[in-house]
Amino acid sequence: MVRYTGPKNRIARRFGANIFGKKRNPLAHKVNPPGQHGAKRKKKSDYGVQLEEKQKLRAIYGMLPQKTLVKYYRDAVRLTGNTQDLFLQRIECRLDNIVYRLKFALTPFHAQQLVAHGHINVDGKKVDIRSFEVKEGMVVSVSEKGKKNALIQEALERSSVDVPEYLSLDGPGMNGKLLVKPHMDQVPLPIPVNVAVVCEFLAYTT
């Protein structure tokens, strides 16, 4: 699995929000978009709008690769139901994202790291594949070794972050469960994303 190692603060400034949930807000001192003097942007074309919506979605979920988004879109198209809902559900139910939503990690990138390093169990068994699909009723928990991790404890203690309604959390036990697959309007995205436009973009580029 490809791991993003590029500049994170620059991306947050581009979209004008602390999308990665970092403790030190990247907008605190540099509120302008990246570029010389935060230059004004020209009006975007339809393609430019679609591309930006796709980039926002990628960023929110820890800079998912383009190939991964394409795969999830194709999976959603093949299923019966609302393609946009199914597409976002597939991303939202990734193991690394569920770990982040359950407050076991400080940022999406921290969640990716916890999974990759074997600190997360699913139904009592270690799973180190970040893209693993968590299904309804599955229990995601922190390993015994991980329970001693100071960063995980710090993440759980954050009162400013709420667990979404489609998840249940047992904080002291460091485990949680996916109760039901979420609808788009239940997903707590840090910035607005037009998922329909993202789907349109992927439809034309696949």
Side-chain angles (χ1 to χ4, degrees):
M1 175 65 73
V2 177
R3 184 169 68 90
Y4 178 77
T5 58
K8 300 180 180 69
N9 284 359
R10 187 175 181 183
I11 294 172
R13 286 175 53 215
R14 176 184 175 186
F15 297 126
N18 186 11
I19 56 177
F20 301 130
K22 297 182 72 174
K23 185 187 301 183
R24 183 173 296 177
N25 191 334
L27 306 180
H29 301 292
K30 295 183 178 180
V31 296
N32 293 322
Q36 187 177 19
H37 310 306
K40 293 182 179 179
R41 309 293 179 86
K42 294 181 179 179
K43 184 177 180 181
K44 294 183 176 65
S45 63
D46 290 344
Y47 176 84
V49 171
Q50 292 174 340
L51 180 62
E52 181 164 88
E53 292 301 307
K54 188 260 298 187
Q55 293 293 68
K56 285 197 291 186
L57 191 68
R58 282 189 65 215
I60 287 169
Y61 288 98
M63 297 305 294
L64 289 179
Q66 169 82 6
K67 288 183 179 179
T68 301
L69 289 182
V70 170
K71 178 184 182 302
Y72 292 160
Y73 173 73
R74 288 175 175 171
D75 290 345
V77 169
R78 285 195 290 265
L79 297 173
T80 302
N82 184 296
T83 298
Q84 299 163 35
D85 246 340
L86 294 168
F87 170 65
L88 192 60
Q89 280 177 3
R90 184 64 184 84
I91 304 174
E92 187 68 16
C93 292
R94 284 172 55 99
L95 179 57
D96 54 3
N97 184 65
I98 295 296
V99 167
Y100 179 58
R101 296 292 189 214
L102 287 171
K103 298 173 58 172
F104 298 153
L106 294 167
T107 68
F109 300 104
H110 183 207
Q112 293 172 1
Q113 186 181 58
L114 290 178
V115 175
H117 289 183
H119 292 306
I120 302 299
N121 296 334
V122 179
D123 287 344
K125 297 181 180 179
K126 182 178 77 172
V127 177
D128 57 9
I129 301 172
R130 295 173 354 206
S131 61
F132 176 87
E133 182 180 2
V134 179
K135 298 181 179 179
E136 293 168 289
M138 286 185 171
V139 176
V140 176
S141 58
V142 178
S143 67
E144 289 302 316
K145 182 179 179 180
K147 289 179 179 179
K148 302 174 184 177
N149 187 303
L151 290 179
I152 296 178
Q153 295 173 358
E154 179 185 342
L156 276 167
E157 290 170 359
R158 291 173 299 164
S159 59
S160 60
V161 180
D162 295 322
V163 176
E165 59 186 306
Y166 46 89
L167 295 168
S168 65
L169 171 66
D170 173 9
M174 293 192 181
N175 66 75
K177 180 187 292 187
L178 177 63
L179 302 174
V180 63
K181 290 188 176 181
H183 294 292
M184 283 194 296
D185 58 356
Q186 295 177 305
V187 177
L189 299 178
I191 53 176
V193 178
N194 191 326
V195 179
V197 168
V198 178
C199 289
E200 287 175 10
F201 178 86
L202 295 174
Y204 287 120
T205 57
T206 57

